[in-house]
Amino acid sequence: MANQSSATNDQTAEQPGVDKDAPLKEDIRLLGRLLGDVLRDQEGEEVYAVVETIRQTAVRFRREADAGAAKELDGMLKILTREQTISVVRAFSYFSHLANIAEDQHHIRRRRAHLLAGSNPQQGSVNFALCKLKEAGVSQETVGTFFQDALIAPVLTAHPTEVQRKSILDAEHDIARLLAERDLPLTPKEQAANMHLLRARVATLWQTRMLRYSKLTVADEIENALSYYRITFLRELPGLYDDIESDIAAHYGNGDGATKTITAPYVQMGSWIGGDRDGNPNVNGGTMQHALTRQATTILDFYLEEAHTLGAELSVSTLMIACSPQLQALADQSPDLSDHRADEPYRRALIGIYARLASSARALGATNILRKEVGHAEPYATAAEFSADLQVLIDSLNAHHGAVLVQPRLSTLKRAADIFGFHLASLDMRQSSDIHERVLAELFVKAGGQPDYSSLDEDAKVALLLSELSQPRLLYSPYIAYSAETDSELGVLRAARQIRALYGARAIRNYIISHTETVSDLLEVLLLQKEMGLLRIAEQELDLMVIPLFETIPDLQRAAGIMEAVMAIPLVKALIAKQGQIQEVMLGYSDSNKDGGFLTSNWELYKAETHLVTVFEKAGVKLRLFHGRGGTVGRGGGPSYEAILAQPHGTVNGQIRLTEQGEIIASKFSNKDIGRRNLELLVAATLEASLMPQSADSAHLAQLRQFEAIMAEISDRAYKAYRNLVYETPGFTDYFFAATPIAEIAELNLGSRPASRKSTKRIEDLRAIPWGFSWGQCRLLLPGWYGFGSAIGAWIAEGKQAERLAQLQAMFKQWPFFATLLSNMDMVLAKTDLAIASRYAELVQDKELRERIFKRITEEHASTLAILQSITGATERLAGNPLLARSIQNRFAYLDPLNHLQVELIKRHRALSSEPGKADERVHRGIHLSINGVAAGLRNTG
């Protein structure tokens, strides 16, 4: 039976004694039943029975830790035919996907219930943040200044663990829409039609290939990312601006709720897709050009469609109401000369705007304008001109009793023009410092200068680079032949200059240097920009901000010193002044975690940030931090709202950029309502972290220093414990490659970038992303917790134990940094399963190695659980987040069988692969399907 109306559900959900999760359970049962029906219909009763038996046995294995159940499960999986195995893997994988859809819909339902009940503002909303700020005495002027000056930028990136196909996302989007429709009051016929369509979409999902059979290209990754703009960003981001303006008016406005309009685009989108060359030989100047062409086409298609629809809606006649002279002038410039619309200036103006947009789209690379314009008009020179024309319409309507017509479409279009321009998102450029060094070494040699630049010490490099930067002449000559690498790198910079000229300065404005280790790493990129006309020394104008990326533990420790030295250079000081006295620094979470472990990585990031704040304050420069966070906690993942609030004081200040990676993009932004909520969380957290007054009480500061001193001691121990296991234990690399599906992950057609930087089996050369992904697949999630238990246990044991434990408990209650650290680790441990992990350990053929390393891991796991409980007092995982706890528990019955199947398939695959010509493509495909399903079930990947 279909759900009743959303109003009924929402109201009853708030009543005492009512199970608030009942609608979620009903949706999961419904989707599970539909999937079962499709399975019976498509694959037969026998396969359906096998799936059910495996599920029930896996549940018994989990609940009872039953050795008999494990043996029974193992026997069942071994006798599955190849065809049955594929069907069973697909069934459990698709259930994980369907459960995610139901959960997302329930989150939307619960948020709506909260709003309908008229409850207090929800934590994480801008309304909640404004309440706190007003109570703390923060003025309207301060809030207004924040929004005028702020830059909050989610940056979408493509990574080698992005397992979703766009076709699957599209089908799931349809299922989500139909599920949401069931919360509306439906007639019996409408209910039946809805059920039919749901069944059809689930059948479509079953008959759609889940995996890619060819490797993703950069162009594919660009298209995948653009789909989220159409689903979420193009409408929800302008809508969020309107909501925030209303919230500010409600808290700070005058009697009629009015407040000053915020004109600055304080939330802007960024992208690495097509511009991130670090370790990806497929990215070059051509992919940058393609990215901007496709981005411009996407946003201009949106503008054209909205302008056309507005033309149909704004049928205002001057026979009924006057318009402004500016609007009349705009209408008179229109190519529309029809007598039928002579008295309809808004329509005529919009026809002219449409014609100019169509010309702009063609000039920026669009090849298919769906609706031909009435007549020719000159293209807009800039997006600002387009925005100004829309403002003419808005001003005229406001002045002539038409204010009600501005909302929602015209105001949304105007907001979108200001936010997205003609470029949609700023494309970042990124390359490794060692590449820059090689390119400059060649330029010096070919120009008859320094014969061996790479061999110079740091002081000599800095002196040479500064000398060269002061010269008016160039090293580069178009008449000299260079290596392919140098040609490509210079071509990328040349493409950046052309893109900025065509699409505007916001199209490309950042150049990120991976593996920044020295001052010369930054000066090298300045010199390369000078060579390609992006840095004009005489005018002291720099087109691309040079942004260091500090990634490893040693890099983070050097970060403040490098920035202090580079900002003291007169040329750099002058360039920063021209940038508005602001400089960005990027911090890498992934490599620092792989390098030093979860606890030490977080601590070194915290220290680097606090030291950078001191250095920047001394230099009089505003710091903008760019957080390279991944999906998993081991790569800096976890809730963004809590992460931003836990940042050290002075590190946010209205300026923050952060990466959104892999499957996290899909989980956050493939549903428009969930997407809107996630965007609001970013704004609310940045607003609160920037403006909430901090205690300057000396006792508070002394306590913070004490907490930091304790953290430093614990971090040293955790670092040694982690490094000892991962980098110093004989055989650990062999264990990792055998006991996780890392080798199989490397074979997946997941992304355009290789999984490893070099063709070796060294953990040092493995990218941090597949490293974390592999540990997630085998349900150990080791990068998110290892080293914590032994480090804190040893620290407690070395002093007065009760006193030290009390200090840790105080840190948990009073220090947001430590509380967030433990909360994220708690989430990881809730998804960790040693029983499942033991099945993966069986893949290690060397028994002594298997038992030795798995024993160390299980002992550290037990220690970590015990220490976490002693600090927080929670005996169950996620006691403070029951919704997430239930979510994880609900999916285990369907996730566990996928892990068991994956182990069996890996055994078969490796046995067959050891014999020439025996590899079975169906077994290989089954492994990849299971990887997809486990990733969906855990809801986070690399």
Side-chain angles (χ1 to χ4, degrees), residues 440 444 453 456 458-471 475 519-525 527-528 530 571:
L440 275 173
F444 279 124
Y453 170 74
L456 298 177
E458 175 63 8
D459 288 344
K461 281 182 179 176
V462 169
L464 177 60
L465 292 167
L466 290 174
S467 172
E468 197 57 47
L469 279 164
S470 69
Q471 302 296 326
L475 294 169
V519 169
S520 63
D521 288 338
L522 283 85
L523 297 179
E524 284 169 356
V525 176
L527 183 52
L528 288 171
K530 174 186 170 239
L571 171 62

Side-chain angles (χ1 to χ4, degrees), residues 284-347:
N284 52 41
T287 61
M288 288 166 55
Q289 294 276 10
H290 180 73
L292 263 298
T293 298
R294 292 301 302 135
Q295 288 178 196
T297 299
T298 299
I299 189 59
L300 282 157
D301 281 349
F302 174 74
Y303 293 157
L304 285 163
E305 186 61 33
E306 292 300 288
H308 172 77
T309 307
L310 272 171
E313 291 176 356
L314 291 180
S315 55
V316 178
S317 169
T318 49
L319 297 177
M320 305 289 110
I321 190 81
C323 69
S324 71
Q326 293 83 359
L327 188 278
Q328 187 61 55
L330 196 59
D332 291 342
Q333 295 165 18
S334 170
D336 178 28
L337 304 176
S338 170
D339 291 339
H340 298 295
R341 287 182 289 276
D343 64 324
E344 296 174 341
Y346 292 94
R347 278 183 164 166

Side-chain angles (χ1 to χ4, degrees), residues 30-45 47-48 51 87 90-91 94 98 175 195-208:
L30 170 64
L31 293 174
R33 187 172 72 247
L34 290 174
L35 181 62
D37 291 346
V38 168
L39 188 61
R40 275 197 189 96
D41 180 58
Q42 306 278 330
E43 306 296 324
E45 192 67 43
V47 171
Y48 174 79
V51 169
S87 295
R90 292 182 73 227
Y94 276 128
L98 293 172
I175 292 170
M195 183 67 78
H196 172 79
L197 285 173
L198 261 178
R199 193 182 305 275
R201 293 298 173 266
V202 173
T204 300
L205 201 61
W206 184 258
Q207 294 184 2
T208 298

Side-chain angles (χ1 to χ4, degrees), residues 158-159 162 212-225 273-274 280-283 287 290 749-753:
H159 273 286
E162 194 169 358
R212 303 182 186 96
Y213 287 155
S214 58
K215 194 166 183 64
L216 269 185
T217 65
V218 177
D220 294 329
E221 290 172 336
I222 290 166
E223 292 307 314
N224 282 353
I273 309 172
N280 193 339
N282 303 305
V283 175
T287 61
H290 180 73
N749 294 310
L750 292 173
S752 68
R753 176 186 301 190

